[in-house]
């Protein structure tokens, strides 16, 4: 029969002194390093054209939505966040959305709607903040979603540039 002998702990080990001193030394070293905590919201998040915030609908210069209510973004949305009801109009585009809703609590900011849209009518904005008092308020309708094209211009230019890159590389023999 083998009898295991436990090592006798010293007084310092019984008081966890080595671990406490190691922990304090790490705290002491970090104390003098530059803090990397961002004081949000006083210090807002950096935003640029690559920022994929909440999707927004483009309003053209004539004041109408660019959307023709084709439903492709609704079909592409993996989170089932988009609901569209369209109706016919007399203008050349023939259809426009009567109801266009995005449930922001479902939206995962994936950008599939932006990619699916054949009319460049929906783009990812740089709007990231989302807060309200009820769930219903976070289902955004047309009024909350629409933005003038100029407000989304940086993102639109970026998406065109990215798409051109793929178009050019696929046309290269
Ligand atoms: S960003 Fe993604 S999840 Fe959000 S509405 Fe568009 S497709 Fe749906
Ligand atoms: S894919 Fe574009 S045009 Fe079609 S319903 Fe969505 S936003 Fe409108």
């Amino acid at each position: 029969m083998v009898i295991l002998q436990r090592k006798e702990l010293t007084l310092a080990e019984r008081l966890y002194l080595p671990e406490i001193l190691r922990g304090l030394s790490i705290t002491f070293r970090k104390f003098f390093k530059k803090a990397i905590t961002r004081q949000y919201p006083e210090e807002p998040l950096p935003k640029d054209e690559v920022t994929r915030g909440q999707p927004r609908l483009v309003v053209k210069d004539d004041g109408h939505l660019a959307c023709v209510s084709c439903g492709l973004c609704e079909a592409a949305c993996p989170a089932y966040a988009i609901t569209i009801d369209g109706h016919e109009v007399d203008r050349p585009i023939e259809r426009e959305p009567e109801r266009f809703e995005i449930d922001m609590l479902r939206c995962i900011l994936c950008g599939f709607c932006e990619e699916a849209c054949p009319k460049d009518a929906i783009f990812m904005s740089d709007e990231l903040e989302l807060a309200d008092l009820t769930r219903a308020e976070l289902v955004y309708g047309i009024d909350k979603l629409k933005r003038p094209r100029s407000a989304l211009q940086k993102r639109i230019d970026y998406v065109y540039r990215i798409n051109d890159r793929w178009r050019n590389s696929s046309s290269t023999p």
Side-chain angles (χ1 to χ4, degrees):
M1 191 170 73
V2 182
I3 297 175
L4 291 177
Q5 286 285 338
R6 281 182 190 274
K7 176 181 167 273
E8 276 298 315
L9 294 178
T10 63
L11 180 63
E13 283 172 335
R14 269 186 270 156
L15 293 174
Y16 297 103
L17 275 184
E19 285 71 26
I20 291 171
L21 289 176
R22 203 172 313 135
L24 284 176
S25 76
I26 292 171
T27 307
F28 193 71
R29 265 183 281 138
K30 298 286 176 189
F31 196 74
F32 296 103
K33 291 209 168 153
K34 189 173 177 290
I36 55 169
T37 309
R38 181 179 293 279
Q39 300 300 327
Y40 183 85
E42 287 78 15
E43 263 183 70
L45 296 168
K47 294 173 181 175
D48 59 26
E49 57 194 11
V50 183
T51 305
R52 214 168 54 204
Q54 297 154 20
R56 294 289 181 255
L57 293 174
V58 175
V59 178
K60 296 183 295 181
D61 294 340
D62 62 7
H64 294 293
L65 289 177
C67 174
V68 295
S69 190
C70 68
L72 283 177
C73 56
E74 187 179 18
C77 178
Y80 304 112
I82 303 178
T83 309
I84 304 169
D85 289 329
H87 67 169
E88 291 185 14
V89 288
D90 287 337
R91 301 194 314 279
I93 64 163
E94 295 180 0
R95 276 175 70 79
E96 71 176 12
E98 193 169 25
R99 169 190 180 205
F100 194 120
E101 287 178 354
I102 301 183
D103 185 339
M104 287 302 166
L105 291 176
R106 280 180 167 269
C107 177
I108 53 172
L109 312 181
C110 65
F112 283 9
C113 49
E114 180 186 76
E115 286 184 36
C117 181
K119 302 301 287 183
D120 293 343
I122 188 166
F123 283 92
M124 307 306 281
S125 69
D126 62 2
E127 298 172 39
L128 294 164
E129 286 79 19
L130 190 65
D132 225 310
L133 296 176
T134 65
R135 286 176 169 266
E137 296 287 334
L138 291 165
V139 178
Y140 284 13
I142 291 175
D143 282 348
K144 282 189 178 174
L145 290 173
K146 64 183 183 184
R147 293 287 179 276
R149 199 180 158 89
S150 57
L152 299 164
Q153 197 60 52
K154 262 189 354 192
R155 178 71 186 183
I156 294 171
D157 292 345
Y158 169 74
V159 171
Y160 284 4
R161 212 164 56 242
I162 291 295
N163 287 342
D164 277 349
R165 186 179 68 182
W166 295 121
R167 267 198 289 273
N168 293 338
S169 67
S170 63
S171 61
T172 310

